[in-house]
Amino acid sequence: MTLRRVTLLRHGQTEYNSVGRMQGHLDTRLTDAGRAQAAAVAPRLAQERFDRVITSDLTRAHDTATAVAGAVGLPLSVDKRLRETHLGDWQGRTIAEIGADDPGAIAEWRSDPRFTPPGGESRVDVVVRSLPVVEELDLEYAADPEERSVLLVAHGGMIAGMVCGLLDLPQSSWPVIGGLGNTRWAVVARRDDHPRWRLSGYNIGA
């Protein structure tokens, strides 16, 4: 077991973030503030040691990751399994608009990881598709004598789900892991004498 640490960074601000509009798989871009956030977080994360930086293919995450990878001096890999939750018919709409059409749906979505927006995917679905990214790294590094650390640059919902999956929390407990601010991150880590992943930090900011 040589993969010791996984850091999960959320992208910088987008225009949709600033007005409370759902993004999901929509390929939104960083605002000027979001680009400034990425530039600011890059030197902070460069103080950490990473062996690999992997990003979602969506532009908002990729552009954030490009700034960080440049600061840490590593090439950038892309894996579309790190995409945000597909929100189906909710994509492009505000929470207020969704609530007006379907009262109670947002509350159910937030409290039940199995809830699926119309035409989209559930939090459980997101974990099923994204967790193999870390599992494959585990296999790759299994015989490596060096301790390894990776940085995944992705999206708030996906990160919350992956943290729950890595910690092997029961699905009923998943709602206790909340969202992340823009360019904030979570860390899970483990040791030989404690081989399960443990939460080392959440919603950490520069």
Side-chain angles (χ1 to χ4, degrees):
M1 184 189 71
T2 56
L3 180 58
R4 300 292 192 188
R5 188 177 179 92
V6 178
T7 300
L8 303 106
L9 173 70
R10 187 186 178 207
H11 60 79
Q13 184 200 64
T14 68
E15 182 178 352
Y16 273 39
N17 290 150
S18 67
V19 298
R21 199 168 290 279
M22 299 284 219
Q23 296 174 107
H25 280 202
L26 296 180
D27 199 16
T28 57
R29 297 181 178 273
L30 299 179
T31 60
D32 289 343
R35 286 188 288 274
Q37 288 170 337
V41 78
R44 168 61 183 85
L45 288 172
Q47 298 173 22
E48 308 293 333
R49 185 188 68 80
F50 296 109
D51 297 288
R52 191 171 299 184
V53 181
I54 307 173
T55 181
S56 158
D57 64 330
L58 295 176
T59 301
R60 58 191 184 271
H62 191 280
D63 287 355
T64 303
T66 297
V68 176
V72 302
L74 289 172
L76 184 60
S77 300
V78 177
D79 196 318
K80 67 181 182 181
R81 292 175 295 179
L82 297 178
R83 282 187 175 195
E84 181 59 292
T85 311
H86 195 304
L87 294 173
D89 295 347
W90 290 3
Q91 295 184 163
R93 308 184 69 200
T94 66
I95 288 174
E97 290 169 347
I98 296 164
D101 288 346
D102 192 358
I106 292 295
E108 187 175 0
W109 173 63
R110 287 172 169 164
S111 63
D112 182 358
R114 298 162 299 180
F115 179 86
T116 305
E121 61 183 344
S122 70
R123 183 65 54 84
V124 172
D125 294 330
V126 175
V127 175
V128 168
R129 71 161 154 86
S130 63
L131 205 58
V133 175
V134 174
E135 293 170 344
E136 290 163 16
L137 290 167
D138 243 350
L139 289 173
E140 179 180 344
Y141 291 137
D144 196 321
E146 299 292 327
E147 295 187 355
R148 299 298 182 182
S149 174
V150 300
L151 173 64
L152 306 181
V153 185
H155 310 269
M158 194 239 81
I159 290 172
M162 181 176 277
V163 166
C164 292
L166 289 171
L167 298 179
D168 198 23
L169 297 179
Q171 290 180 14
S172 61
S173 296
W174 286 17
V176 305
I177 301 294
L180 292 170
N182 291 116
T183 60
R184 291 182 173 265
W185 64 93
V187 180
V188 293
R190 61 185 179 180
R191 307 182 312 211
D192 278 332
D193 61 348
H194 199 305
R196 285 190 59 177
W197 291 109
R198 296 184 296 171
L199 186 64
S200 293
Y202 199 81
N203 208 27
I204 306 166

